Amino acid sequence: MLIGVIVGLLFQLMKTNTSKQLRLSFLETKTGLPNLNQLRYEINSLTNGKKDFSIMAFYITNLLDINAYIDYSIGEKSILKAIEKLESTFGKQNVFVVSMDTYIVLFQGASLEHTDAIAEQAVAMLTEPILINNFTIRLEVRCGILNSPLYGNSTDALLDELKITLDKSKKYSQKIMVFSEKMVEQKKQKLEVITALHDAIQNDEFYMVYQPIIHIPSGEIRGAEGLLRWNHTNIHMGPGEFISIAEKAGFINEITKWVIRHSVQQIRAWQDAGMPAKIAVNVSSKDLSNDSVIAYAQECVETSRIDPQSLGFELTERVITQNETKIKTLLRQMQAIGIGISIDDFGTGYNSMIQLVTLPITYVKIDKFFIDHIEHEKYRIVITEIIRLAHNLKMEIIAEGVETEQQLRLLKEMGCDNIQGYYFSKPLPEKEYAEFVASYQENFMSRITE
Ligand code: C2E
Ligand code: MG
Ligand code: MG
């Protein structure tokens, strides 16, 4: 009998636990709200029942800031207030939680075509200031809407579309964004580009072009900037665009390593051919989040037995402002190896002056923007000051994007050290670059010496 009672109790316990687990798998523990599983279930039922409905997603953009700058408990309380407001507007059973900062609302009813206006009101309500423990909190909210009739043909497709819409509203800082079919097409195209870009190394679609950098006082070629090109049958994209995609998709390191390997091999080949052999390559911020790219550069330099000073890295100010302490250490590491560092697009970022005094920099590249406006006196004053500053700090200047004789003349008068730009040459593939170098003295040098 005793055994029977124990087994009975155990069975009862198991049953309550299972139903608790089952319930929990449909509820988010912190907020007690129905979660994504429940949302999927509800969407399935509505679609199966051929019901008309819209879906809205609300994302709280400043929750992390509230948590970081004020306090977790204030963050939590403001979220609970927001949930209360959503529940009282849309009904408790229609509000679902995705994560602490993202909530989804299912919306059925006669006024489906007015969803935008309803979302507008909801956003206004959520962003009203709230007083918590003497702090006035104002939540910032983005909203994505899938309007009825819905376009996706499965629950997952609908949730995907909602995410695309919400991501767009975040990206463009637009309070409310309504889904359109175009967004799915754009996302598809983006994924195709990412996949193609990811395979570009393997498919041998990358190549380098080189743009000469000319030393003004001697009139000689100082070296070149190495710039990456992608040769794909259908996708035609410049490096400004595809580099940023590779950064976001998380494989920029492999591309940078490819660029470094090719540039080092190119330096070796030019050195052997008795050509000026110096190449500066561009690195992005993600390349400096750890030291693997620098270690790789060192390895390439050693294997190819080139002078480390013939390799340079160009970093934009933006690269440096992110994770400054770590980057400072890495730059010193590069300096120790002998790799020169240029600040690219100088004058367009935030911390220019600080970087000039705190980092081991060899070249300052004045951005093309300043050169484009060099005929105006104000710009000339700024350029002259940058040149003077760099010289006092024992750095050299490279003017970027020099296209005309007049720009060159003015820069020469101002004491600029080097120029780079279409006035001498566009970035050229290896063979054309070698031809440019071979014919330089005869055809181009007089442009600078006379
Ligand atoms: P950047 O490093 O500032 O490179 C200079 C850009 O200005 C190059 O564009 C070059 O072709 C262009 N340029 C040079 N002289 C002139 C001129 O006289 N007139 C005009 N209109 N343009 C001129 P490109 O090759 O399209 O590269 C754009 C940007 O893409 C580069 O700007 C760099 O930030 C990035 N990039 C290129 N290759 C790489 C790479 O291998 N790795 C990384 N991380 N970024 C790269
Ligand atoms: Mg550059
Ligand atoms: Mg530049």
Side-chain angles (χ1 to χ4, degrees), residues 34-53:
N35 63 15
L36 261 180
N37 288 339
Q38 182 69 28
L39 175 68
R40 284 199 183 90
Y41 176 82
E42 296 292 340
I43 294 180
N44 272 337
S45 324
L46 288 168
T47 346
N48 291 340
K50 308 234 175 304
K51 295 261 170 48
D52 253 355
F53 64 102

Side-chain angles (χ1 to χ4, degrees), residues 26-244:
F26 289 94
L27 292 178
E28 198 273 333
T29 38
K30 214 165 205 163
T31 55
L33 281 183
N35 63 15
L36 261 180
N37 288 339
Q38 182 69 28
L39 175 68
R40 284 199 183 90
Y41 176 82
E42 296 292 340
I43 294 180
N44 272 337
S45 324
L46 288 168
T47 346
N48 291 340
K50 308 234 175 304
K51 295 261 170 48
D52 253 355
F53 64 102
S54 298
I55 316 175
M56 293 179 206
F58 295 93
Y59 169 72
I60 295 157
T61 62
N62 60 341
L63 179 62
L64 279 180
D65 286 342
I66 297 172
N67 284 342
Y69 295 114
I70 311 179
D71 180 332
Y72 278 116
S73 73
I74 305 263
E76 206 166 276
K77 281 181 186 147
S78 27
I79 291 297
L80 291 175
K81 281 254 187 270
I83 293 172
E84 255 175 53
K85 290 179 184 174
L86 287 176
E87 286 183 333
S88 65
T89 314
F90 297 102
K92 224 175 159 72
Q93 71 287 1
N94 293 321
V95 183
F96 303 81
V97 58
V98 178
S99 60
M100 281 311 275
D101 49 20
T102 310
Y103 298 86
I104 291 180
V105 166
L106 285 184
F107 187 78
Q108 296 182 71
S111 40
L112 281 181
E113 64 277 18
H114 302 312
T115 331
D116 306 13
I118 292 169
E120 190 101 33
Q121 282 166 14
V123 169
M125 170 185 82
L126 291 171
T127 49
E128 269 167 18
I130 30 180
L131 192 71
I132 299 169
N133 299 2
N134 290 329
F135 284 102
T136 306
I137 305 290
R138 191 190 281 270
L139 294 178
E140 281 168 26
V141 176
R142 300 278 172 265
C143 171
I145 309 174
L146 298 190
N147 253 334
S148 169
L150 297 169
Y151 166 76
N153 50 8
S154 73
T155 303
D156 281 340
L158 289 176
L159 290 176
D160 251 5
E161 289 165 9
L162 190 64
K163 184 171 181 315
I164 295 173
T165 318
L166 192 59
D167 285 347
K168 268 217 180 301
S169 79
K170 291 181 203 171
K171 185 171 169 194
Y172 297 109
S173 294
Q174 199 166 312
K175 260 194 313 193
I176 294 172
M177 186 74 87
V178 181
F179 172 78
S180 72
E181 289 174 37
K182 210 173 65 196
M183 290 181 188
V184 175
E185 195 43 45
Q186 282 168 348
K187 172 99 189 266
K188 213 173 111 210
Q189 279 170 2
K190 207 166 149 192
L191 276 178
E192 275 167 15
V193 171
I194 292 176
T195 318
L197 187 57
H198 185 261
D199 296 342
I201 294 186
Q202 220 178 340
N203 296 341
D204 210 14
E205 290 163 356
F206 283 140
Y207 66 96
M208 298 289 296
V209 288
Y210 305 96
Q211 188 175 32
I213 297 170
I214 317 281
H215 185 233
I216 297 180
S218 66
E220 278 169 9
I221 300 173
R222 229 327 137 73
E225 175 172 5
L227 296 147
L228 188 59
R229 295 291 178 263
W230 181 22
N231 180 21
H232 188 275
T233 13
N234 310 320
I235 304 167
H236 306 286
M237 217 177 242
E241 209 175 343
F242 70 74
I243 291 290
S244 130

Side-chain angles (χ1 to χ4, degrees), residues 208-209 211 225-229 238-243 247 252 255-256 259 281-284 287 314 316 344-345 365 367-368 400-403 420-423 425-427:
M208 298 289 296
V209 288
Q211 188 175 32
E225 175 172 5
L227 296 147
L228 188 59
R229 295 291 178 263
E241 209 175 343
F242 70 74
I243 291 290
E247 278 174 358
I252 185 68
I255 296 182
T256 307
V259 168
V281 297
N282 295 280
V283 293
S284 83
D287 291 322
E314 294 196 358
T316 59
D344 207 348
D345 307 342
K365 299 189 78 170
D367 194 73
K368 180 174 182 300
E400 292 190 277
V402 178
E403 292 180 344
Q420 178 185 349
Y422 293 178
Y423 183 58
S425 169
K426 288 193 169 178

Side-chain angles (χ1 to χ4, degrees), residues 252-354:
I252 185 68
N253 282 4
E254 285 150 65
I255 296 182
T256 307
K257 284 178 183 172
W258 185 96
V259 168
I260 292 173
R261 188 168 69 248
H262 276 74
S263 303
V264 167
Q265 284 164 0
Q266 191 61 72
I267 292 171
R268 174 82 262 162
W270 285 344
Q271 241 170 39
D272 293 346
M275 278 169 61
K278 239 181 161 185
I279 298 176
V281 297
N282 295 280
V283 293
S284 83
S285 60
K286 298 262 164 56
D287 291 322
L288 298 179
S289 56
N290 58 56
D291 55 10
S292 83
V293 166
I294 294 175
Y296 186 77
Q298 184 169 19
E299 193 188 310
C300 290
V301 164
E302 281 166 8
T303 328
S304 304
R305 288 170 290 104
I306 60 158
D307 176 3
Q309 295 197 2
S310 49
L311 181 67
F313 278 2
E314 294 196 358
L315 286 79
T316 59
E317 293 167 277
R318 196 168 44 86
V319 170
I320 302 168
T321 27
Q322 294 169 11
N323 202 358
E324 206 163 327
T325 330
K326 171 87 185 156
I327 284 175
K328 232 185 255 179
T329 321
L330 290 177
L331 295 191
R332 302 220 179 279
Q333 228 170 300
M334 282 195 247
Q335 190 188 33
I337 302 169
I339 296 173
I341 298 149
S342 309
I343 287 213
D344 207 348
D345 307 342
F346 186 81
T348 58
Y350 301 110
N351 276 348
S352 324
M353 297 302 162
I354 296 176

